[in-house]
């Protein structure tokens, strides 16, 4: 990842043969750093009462 104005460019570990990648993270807090990348990202948050996500210029 490289730092650009407190945003991180995430490099997804995809190979030329991959069509998608799945991560399974179980956490008590959503504290992933603000980042960007050219790939699409889908998040499923279970039991996230009060959780806020920032995507582009939307909250």
């Amino acid at each position: 990842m490289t730092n650009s104005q407190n945003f991180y460019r995430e490099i997804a570990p995809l190979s030329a043969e991959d069509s998608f990648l799945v991560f399974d993270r179980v956490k008590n807090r959503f504290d992933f750093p603000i980042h960007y990348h050219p790939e699409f990202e889908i998040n499923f948050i279970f039991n996230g009462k009060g959780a806020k996500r920032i995507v582009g210029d939307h909250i």
Side-chain angles (χ1 to χ4, degrees):
M1 289 194 241
T2 60
N3 191 342
S4 173
Q5 300 177 353
N6 297 325
F7 297 108
Y8 295 92
R9 183 179 190 300
E10 182 180 26
I11 308 296
L14 294 166
S15 72
E17 293 81 31
D18 293 330
S19 54
F20 64 92
L21 181 64
V22 175
F23 287 105
D24 183 13
R25 294 185 178 111
V26 178
K27 302 180 89 173
N28 292 328
R29 303 177 354 166
F30 191 84
D31 56 0
F32 204 75
I34 297 174
H35 66 282
Y36 63 96
H37 44 74
E39 298 84 14
F40 289 103
E41 181 172 339
I42 299 173
N43 288 273
F44 174 72
I45 301 172
F46 182 74
N47 261 350
K49 183 177 181 181
K52 292 185 180 181
R53 295 275 306 179
I54 300 171
V55 179
D57 58 355
H58 300 312
I59 297 177

